[in-house]
Amino acid sequence: PDLDATWVALGEADPDVMDRDQLVALQRQVASVKAWCDAVQVRTTRRLRALAAEGRAEAPKDVLATEGRQSSKDARAADERERVASALPGFEEALSTGDVSSGHLDAVAAATRNLGDAARAEFAAHATDLLADAKDQTVDRFERACRDLARNITAVQPGATPADEQAASEARSNVKHWLDRETGMWHTHLQL
């Protein structure tokens, strides 16, 4: 985006006298600048992580919390955004151009947070489709799609051995027994 023109337009904007269409255009400009700032923060976080690995800086989330004046929760989210952007580079470029928002990267981070390495790699293999969906969907809808994809990947992930697969299957099984006090009858619910 033409950030110079956007900055000028934002500086001159007076939302109090704008009609609906003008406010929509203004909101798009605000979203574009926010996305660009978030993309710069992704790059900053990546560099802080490299410096921290060399012992020349604190952990990125600590710097983001103190110097970025963010809550620790927001700093952790920014830290996770960088991990997503590094794993799915198309998302970083789309963020810098305002085609996606930081919420889209947060959705990927939330969906992949508890995945193992193999499942995370399989999730990343869908990067092209995910990016196309993110550009076309609201954050809420994209978040649901990411959760569904992660759930589907997890469901078909093979265990390391047949015994591991059997143990995982048993862990997902659910058996409940209860006595109905009114009828005196036992009830059993099986989920296998």
Side-chain angles (χ1 to χ4, degrees):
D2 182 0
L3 289 172
D4 291 335
T6 302
W7 281 112
V8 169
L10 289 174
E12 295 173 353
D14 185 1
D16 294 334
V17 298
M18 292 180 167
D19 64 22
R20 184 237 182 246
D21 292 340
Q22 291 170 318
L23 289 169
V24 167
L26 179 65
Q27 185 55 46
R28 286 186 181 139
Q29 290 173 319
V30 168
S32 177
V33 170
K34 279 183 173 181
W36 180 82
C37 288
D38 288 336
V40 171
Q41 190 173 53
V42 163
R43 292 177 59 206
T44 302
T45 303
R46 183 176 298 121
R47 179 64 179 149
L48 283 167
R49 189 179 320 287
L51 290 172
E54 297 170 3
R56 297 176 22 199
E58 308 93 305
K61 63 182 178 178
D62 295 336
V63 174
L64 293 171
T66 57
E67 302 305 323
R69 297 180 182 244
Q70 297 180 350
S71 68
S72 58
K73 178 182 175 182
D74 290 340
R76 278 191 307 275
D79 190 47
E80 287 183 340
R81 262 181 234 128
E82 186 278 324
R83 293 179 194 278
V84 169
S86 293
L88 308 170
F91 275 82
E92 184 172 349
E93 182 180 338
L95 183 62
S96 69
T97 60
D99 291 332
V100 301
S101 72
S102 60
H104 290 95
L105 276 74
D106 293 346
V108 173
T112 59
R113 185 172 294 126
N114 296 320
L115 296 180
D117 291 340
R120 195 171 286 147
E122 187 172 341
F123 191 96
H126 295 271
T128 303
D129 293 335
L130 286 166
L131 182 56
D133 289 346
K135 288 179 178 181
D136 204 35
Q137 295 176 357
T138 65
V139 172
D140 291 335
R141 186 170 171 204
F142 182 69
E143 186 175 30
R144 282 191 299 277
C146 287
R147 271 195 319 259
D148 290 345
L149 177 60
R151 194 175 302 123
N152 290 339
I153 288 171
T154 302
V156 296
Q157 282 290 309
T161 66
D164 290 341
E165 201 167 324
Q166 178 65 28
S169 177
E170 290 173 3
R172 289 190 303 268
S173 296
N174 189 0
V175 179
K176 296 179 184 176
H177 303 281
W178 69 92
L179 176 64
D180 184 336
R181 296 191 190 273
E182 290 180 21
T183 64
M185 298 186 71
W186 281 96
H187 294 261
T188 302
H189 175 86
L190 302 171
Q191 185 176 358
L192 306 170

